[in-house]
């Protein structure tokens, strides 16, 4: 329970208040005594929060200060004390991360330790229950609270937030999602160091989403050190979404000037991963075993054969969406239809509904294989865009139009169809998206993204 004290002349008084849901308990009296205690209950958590804040402001105006804090703490927020931790209460949240009550119990305990995360949980929960102006006011209060106590809430991460190279979203007192990445060409921001520190920081105990932007503007964009730092930090039992390669190409860098490297060790320390997105080249995946994954996307200008086989033989029984960019052999793309046969057969993919086999130089061969693919009947959408589909491939699809009739969408955009091929496919499969084709050259057809 946060404790405020007033010491002036002969006065030596304390005042404590503990907010919990739609009620709070206040205790007050002379320092050294047990004092008096009173509990008040309100119609909603938002009402309780509003009255709680009003009383705190009144006490502060009268000269009460948070016990153990100096008068200058408002500007920099929080001194250098260590964040509080209760493994038992944290375990309850980890067991059921969507259980708001578990957070509120932790809020009570943290406030009792004088940890600002406790009050932040209460403020953000009240905001989630409020609406309109009241919700906006509480969200502003939460932002001000985070700024006030940034030393304890962020520690060494505060510099990254200030430079806008670390972006954070807070939820019920803790970091819910984060993005780490250099912002400008002359930046000296250390992405690997920050990413590793983030996963080890107490405020990120329950982080759900992590995005890695540009690791370096100087030369090649290399993610190996960042991946190693995340592994050495122990990964995360709570991260559900991971995106490595959040950059604009070709504005920030070319996609094939980016090196994803071997991420197999990282996947082993993210057991609850639900969504994985990778952008770049030189990717190694190893043996994929992601029992909770629902979505997998790899965007590359050249997918090596070993990575193709890793994807084709992956263990991800809950996968619902799979999107693979194969790329150009000029930039390291290898493999063909025969190497993704397990995918076409639906092997180990009972829940797959959306399939993207994109940016390929074997799209015509895919057009021949897809009508009889065992996975096709279970799909809702099929995307073979950005490849080298010719009029010959379009005829193969049109001849077996009935096989694709159940699809909500068939995407063949950004291929190399002529007007004749587009017309043929549109008439045979009316729901096919055939527009926005690239120039057709018989002797020189290539995937849309290579470099």
């Amino acid at each position: 329970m946060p404790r405020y004290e007033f010491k002036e002349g002969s006065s030596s008084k304390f005042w404590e208040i503990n907010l919990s849901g739609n009620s709070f308990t206040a205790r007050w009296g002379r320092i050294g005594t047990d004092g008096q205690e009173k509990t008040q209950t309100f119609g909603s958590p938002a009402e309780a929060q509003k009255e709680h804040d009003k009383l705190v402001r009144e006490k502060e105006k009268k000269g009460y200060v948070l016990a153990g804090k100096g008068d200058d703490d408002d500007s920099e927020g929080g001194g250098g004390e260590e964040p509080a931790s209760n493994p038992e209460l944290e375990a309850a949240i980890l067991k059921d991360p969507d259980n708001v009550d578990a957070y509120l119990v932790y809020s009570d305990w943290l406030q009792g330790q004088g940890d600002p995360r406790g009050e932040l949980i209460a403020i953000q929960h009240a905001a989630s229950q409020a609406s309109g102006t009241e919700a906006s006011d509480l969200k502003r209060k939460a932002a001000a609270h985070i700024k006030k106590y940034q030393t304890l809430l962020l520690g060494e991460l505060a510099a990254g937030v200030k430079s806008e190279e670390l972006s954070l979203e807070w939820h019920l007192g803790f970091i819910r999602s984060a993005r780490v990445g250099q912002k400008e060409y002359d930046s000296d921001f250390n992405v690997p160091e920050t990413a590793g520190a983030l996963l080890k920081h107490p405020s990120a105990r329950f982080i759900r989403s992590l995005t890695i932007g540009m690791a370096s503007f100087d030369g090649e964009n290399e993610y190996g050190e960042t991946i190693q730092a995340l592994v050495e930090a122990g990964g995360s039992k709570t991260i559900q979404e991971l995106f490595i390669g959040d950059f604009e190409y070709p504005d920030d860098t070319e996609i094939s000037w980016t090196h994803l490297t071997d991420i197999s060790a990282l996947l082993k320390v993210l057991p609850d991963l639900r969504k994985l997105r990778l952008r770049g080249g030189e990717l190694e995946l190893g043996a994929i075993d992601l029992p909770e994954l629902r979505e997998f996307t790899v965007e590359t200008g050249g997918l090596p054969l070993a990575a193709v086989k890793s994807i084709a033989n992956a263990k991800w029984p809950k996968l619902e969406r799979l999107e693979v960019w194969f790329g150009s052999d000029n930039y390291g793309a290898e493999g063909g239809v025969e190497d993704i046969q397990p995918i076409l057969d639906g092997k180990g993919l009972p829940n797959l509904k959306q399939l993207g086999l994109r940016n390929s130089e074997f799209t015509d061969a895919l057009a021949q294989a897809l009508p009889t693919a065992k996975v096709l009947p279970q799909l809702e959408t099929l995307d073979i865009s950005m490849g080298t589909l010719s009029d010959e491939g379009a005829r193969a699809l049109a001849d077996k139009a009935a096989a694709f009739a159940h699809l909500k969408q068939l995407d063949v955009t950004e291929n190399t169809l002529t007007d004749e091929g587009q017309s043929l496919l549109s008439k045979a499969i009316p729901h096919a998206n055939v527009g926005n084709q690239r120039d057709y050259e018989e002797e020189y057809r290539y995937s849309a993204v290579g470099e």
Side-chain angles (χ1 to χ4, degrees), residues 194-209:
T194 304
L198 173 70
L199 289 198
K200 291 187 285 188
H201 198 281
S203 288
R205 287 184 183 121
F206 313 121
I207 186 171
R208 296 282 193 94
S209 174

Side-chain angles (χ1 to χ4, degrees), residues 368-445:
Q368 296 284 345
L370 283 168
T372 57
K374 294 178 182 178
V375 76
L376 182 59
Q378 74 186 58
L379 299 180
E380 295 178 354
T381 66
L382 176 61
D383 187 346
I384 55 172
S385 63
M386 301 171 61
T388 55
L389 186 69
S390 69
D391 289 359
E392 180 182 351
R395 278 191 290 273
L397 296 173
D399 287 345
K400 302 292 184 179
F404 305 99
H406 69 288
L407 293 175
K408 294 179 180 178
Q409 183 179 38
L410 171 63
D411 193 338
V412 299
T413 59
E414 295 186 75
N415 275 288
T416 56
L417 297 178
T418 67
D419 290 344
E420 181 183 349
Q422 292 180 61
S423 177
L424 173 68
L425 200 52
S426 293
K427 290 177 181 178
I429 309 176
H431 57 281
N433 188 356
V434 303
N436 194 26
Q437 295 295 313
R438 295 178 293 122
D439 292 339
Y440 174 82
E441 296 181 42
E442 180 60 39
E443 300 300 323
Y444 185 52
R445 289 190 295 134

Side-chain angles (χ1 to χ4, degrees), residues 244-449:
I244 302 177
D246 183 24
F247 58 84
E248 297 294 329
Y249 63 91
D251 294 346
D252 293 329
T253 186
E254 297 287 358
I255 201 166
S256 290
W257 296 0
T258 292
H259 309 295
L260 289 163
T261 70
D262 187 349
I263 71 164
S264 57
L266 178 58
L267 299 183
K268 288 181 172 63
V269 293
L270 300 174
D272 201 33
L273 204 59
R274 311 290 177 90
K275 184 176 181 179
L276 176 60
R277 184 178 179 186
L278 307 168
R279 178 182 290 159
E282 297 191 11
L283 172 64
E284 294 180 46
L285 290 161
I288 301 173
D289 188 357
L290 296 170
E292 297 299 325
L293 200 72
R294 271 68 163 180
E295 297 185 25
F296 175 82
T297 302
V298 56
E299 303 167 16
T300 180
L303 192 63
L305 181 58
V308 174
K309 291 185 175 181
S310 293
I311 294 167
N313 295 291
K315 295 180 181 178
W316 39 31
K318 295 183 180 179
L319 198 71
E320 299 170 358
R321 182 179 183 275
L322 174 62
E323 179 178 336
V324 183
W325 295 19
F326 295 94
S328 167
D329 58 8
N330 290 329
Y331 292 93
E334 299 174 309
V337 171
E338 64 279 5
D339 299 297
I340 61 168
Q341 194 61 50
I343 296 174
L344 299 179
D345 288 341
K347 184 179 179 182
L349 296 168
N351 293 296
L352 190 67
K353 298 298 181 184
Q354 301 177 60
L355 177 60
L357 303 172
R358 309 179 67 195
N359 201 42
S360 159
E361 293 186 335
F362 54 87
T363 321
D364 275 352
L366 271 174
Q368 296 284 345
L370 283 168
T372 57
K374 294 178 182 178
V375 76
L376 182 59
Q378 74 186 58
L379 299 180
E380 295 178 354
T381 66
L382 176 61
D383 187 346
I384 55 172
S385 63
M386 301 171 61
T388 55
L389 186 69
S390 69
D391 289 359
E392 180 182 351
R395 278 191 290 273
L397 296 173
D399 287 345
K400 302 292 184 179
F404 305 99
H406 69 288
L407 293 175
K408 294 179 180 178
Q409 183 179 38
L410 171 63
D411 193 338
V412 299
T413 59
E414 295 186 75
N415 275 288
T416 56
L417 297 178
T418 67
D419 290 344
E420 181 183 349
Q422 292 180 61
S423 177
L424 173 68
L425 200 52
S426 293
K427 290 177 181 178
I429 309 176
H431 57 281
N433 188 356
V434 303
N436 194 26
Q437 295 295 313
R438 295 178 293 122
D439 292 339
Y440 174 82
E441 296 181 42
E442 180 60 39
E443 300 300 323
Y444 185 52
R445 289 190 295 134
Y446 51 91
S447 60
V449 177

Side-chain angles (χ1 to χ4, degrees), residues 64-122:
Y64 282 77
V65 296
L66 198 59
K69 305 291 182 183
D71 293 337
D72 295 331
D73 284 337
D74 280 358
S75 59
E76 297 299 329
E81 65 270 30
E82 287 296 316
S85 177
N86 186 317
E88 183 178 352
L89 295 181
E90 290 166 14
I93 295 175
L94 290 170
K95 183 178 180 180
D96 187 1
D98 295 318
N99 185 352
V100 174
D101 289 339
Y103 279 93
L104 294 178
V105 172
Y106 201 19
S107 171
D108 292 343
W109 185 86
L110 288 170
Q111 289 187 67
Q113 309 305 307
D115 190 311
R117 288 177 184 81
E119 186 176 353
L120 182 57
I121 292 172

Side-chain angles (χ1 to χ4, degrees), residues 195-257:
L198 173 70
L199 289 198
K200 291 187 285 188
H201 198 281
S203 288
R205 287 184 183 121
F206 313 121
I207 186 171
R208 296 282 193 94
S209 174
L210 176 61
T211 297
I212 307 296
M214 285 292 293
S216 176
F217 281 101
D218 185 13
E220 305 278 294
N221 185 31
E222 163 70 55
Y223 288 114
E225 291 183 9
T226 303
I227 291 165
Q228 182 179 354
L230 294 173
V231 173
E232 290 177 353
S236 168
K237 294 181 179 180
T238 60
I239 285 181
Q240 295 184 352
E241 297 185 10
L242 175 65
F243 180 11
I244 302 177
D246 183 24
F247 58 84
E248 297 294 329
Y249 63 91
D251 294 346
D252 293 329
T253 186
E254 297 287 358
I255 201 166
S256 290
W257 296 0

